[in-house]
Every structure is written in structure tokens, then in C-alpha cells.
């Protein structure tokens, strides 16, 4: 399984400055966007089932990539981009799809952890007011 270089690998799991720009600085909108992202993760991982047709599987990776980039989850977006590119370049075996899905799931777990941290931080900030 060939992977793309993770240019943002050492950067933040969720780029808060990017998220802030995308939501126009509206903290409640940012929270809503992150909540929607969190709720979609289970669906996305089911779409990446290794038995799924490679074209549909690649489309699922593309969907996650776009959503990840929308919230500034650059490392997740990059790994999804690599998975999508691999799917588009030819048929992937079930083992290859499984390996990509496992890598994507690891990145999703990191993003979900960061979302939980950001939600906790916002909640604590609101309690101090």
C-alpha cells in the first residue's frame, strides 16, 4: 500500500485557525460543525468496509477527505487522499482496503479526541463566565 507523504503530520490534529475562518469566528457554528463531523464518523467507517466495491470505497474516502479538510483535520484529509488515490489507480484488494481503513480509523480517533478536548475547553470556558 503506497501512501502519500503526510505534509501536516506534525501539525495540529484540528487546525483551529482554519476552523475559525471557515465558520466566520462563530463559536457556536464551529461547535455545530464539529458535532456533525463527530456524528458522521460511524457512517463513514461502515462505508469503508473492505468488501465494498473499490469505486464506492474510493468515493467514501473522498467524502471523508473533504469533511476533514473542511474542519482543518489535515492529517486525516491527507491519509484519505492517499486512500482515494489508491482506489482510483486500480482495484484494491480487501487487505489493502482494510489497511487503509485501519489507518483512517486511527486518524478519525485522533480527530474525535481533539473534538472532545475542544468541546471540554469550550464548556469549561462557559462555566467561568
Amino acid at each position: 500500500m503506497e501512501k502519500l507523504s503526510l505534509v501536516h503530520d506534525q501539525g495540529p490534529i484540528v487546525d483551529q485557525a482554519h476552523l475559525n475562518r471557515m465558520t466566520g469566528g462563530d463559536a457556536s457554528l464551529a461547535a455545530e460543525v464539529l458535532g456533525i463531523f463527530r456524528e458522521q464518523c460511524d457512517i463513514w467507517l461502515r462505508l469503508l468496509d473492505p468488501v465494498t466495491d473499490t469505486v464506492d470505497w474510493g468515493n467514501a474516502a473522498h467524502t471523508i477527505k473533504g469533511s476533514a479538510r473542511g474542519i482543518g483535520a489535515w492529517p486525516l484529509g491527507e491519509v484519505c487522499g492517499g486512500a482515494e488515490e489508491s482506489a482510483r489507480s486500480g482495484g484494491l484488494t480487501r487487505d489493502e482496503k482494510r489497511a487503509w481503513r485501519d489507518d483512517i480509523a486511527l486518524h478519525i480517533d485522533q480527530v474525535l479526541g481533539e473534538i472532545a478536548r475542544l468541546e471540554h475547553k469550550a464548556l469549561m470556558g462557559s462555566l467561568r463566565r
Side-chain angles (χ1 to χ4, degrees):
M1 171 176 71
E2 182 180 325
K3 293 192 179 180
L4 298 177
S5 170
L6 295 179
V7 175
H8 297 93
D9 195 35
Q10 299 304 313
I13 295 169
V14 174
D15 182 342
Q16 293 178 56
H18 175 77
L19 180 61
N20 190 44
R21 283 189 303 276
M22 295 299 289
T23 57
D26 184 332
S28 61
L29 179 57
E32 183 177 348
V33 168
L34 291 176
I36 292 168
F37 182 93
R38 182 176 15 82
E39 291 170 5
Q40 295 295 309
C41 288
D42 285 337
I43 295 167
W44 293 331
L45 289 173
R46 285 195 303 269
L47 293 173
L48 290 176
D49 187 314
V51 300
T52 303
D53 173 76
T54 298
V55 171
D56 293 336
W57 191 93
N59 289 337
H62 174 79
T63 298
I64 303 167
K65 177 184 76 175
S67 295
R69 288 179 175 175
I71 66 166
W74 307 122
L76 173 59
E78 296 216 10
V79 75
C80 289
E84 177 188 15
E85 186 175 307
S86 290
R88 302 261 186 266
S89 67
L92 293 174
T93 67
R94 286 184 182 179
D95 287 341
E96 290 169 325
K97 291 177 198 173
R98 187 174 294 108
W100 277 111
R101 185 199 58 205
D102 291 348
D103 199 12
I104 291 168
L106 175 68
H107 282 80
I108 285 175
D109 285 346
Q110 292 172 345
V111 172
L112 292 176
E114 183 64 7
I115 289 171
R117 188 189 74 73
L118 293 171
E119 289 172 339
H120 177 74
K121 182 180 171 185
L123 176 63
M124 296 307 291
S126 70
L127 293 175
R128 290 189 182 114
R129 292 183 190 149

